[in-house]
């Protein structure tokens, strides 16, 4: 067995890297976020800075789970389309 599924199984295919049609737009957004985060980090101190760091960490955790959920949902939807295409009553 050699092919896409096996390569995916062994981690040789990264879904985030292979198909992004928005890569340049995403890079602009991440650069903007990074710039704003650095500005806030330089202006905040003490408890406010700790709260901001905690917020960004929690938000990153949320994004990780949310993106995984979107990937899983999309994968399942694609599998349903494939099943419906090839399996008929």
């Amino acid at each position: 067995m050699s092919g896409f599924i096996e390569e995916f199984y062994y981690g040789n295919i990264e879904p985030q890297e292979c198909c992004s049609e928005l890569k340049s737009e995403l890079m602009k957004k991440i650069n903007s976020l990074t710039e704003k985060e650095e500005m806030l980090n330089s202006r905040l101190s003490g408890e406010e800075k700790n709260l901001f760091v905690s917020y960004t960490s929690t938000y990153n955790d949320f994004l990780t789970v949310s993106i995984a959920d979107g990937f899983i949902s999309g994968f399942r939807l694609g599998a349903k389309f494939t099943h419906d295409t090839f399996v008929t009553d």
Side-chain angles (χ1 to χ4, degrees):
M1 166 172 58
S2 180
F4 182 81
I5 295 172
E6 185 176 9
E7 291 297 311
F8 184 69
Y9 174 81
Y10 286 112
N12 298 327
I13 297 172
E14 290 291 332
Q16 301 87 338
E17 295 175 1
C18 70
C19 305
S20 180
E21 297 175 12
L22 303 173
K23 191 168 186 165
S24 64
E25 185 177 343
L26 289 171
M27 289 307 296
K28 288 178 190 173
K29 300 293 184 188
I30 195 76
N31 288 336
S32 178
L33 279 171
T34 301
E35 181 182 308
K36 288 172 177 54
E37 182 178 355
E38 288 172 357
M39 288 171 52
L40 281 167
N41 271 321
S42 68
R43 293 179 185 180
L44 296 173
S45 62
E47 187 63 31
E48 291 150 343
K49 188 170 188 171
N50 290 338
L51 179 60
F52 177 68
V53 169
S54 176
Y55 169 81
T56 57
S57 177
T58 302
Y59 190 69
N60 284 334
D61 292 344
F62 162 77
L63 283 179
T64 299
V65 173
S66 178
I67 291 168
D69 183 61
F71 174 79
I72 292 165
S73 296
F75 193 89
R76 286 181 176 154
L77 181 61
K80 288 177 183 178
F81 275 113
T82 302
H83 180 268
D84 192 54
T85 300
F86 294 107
V87 178
T88 58
D89 295 337

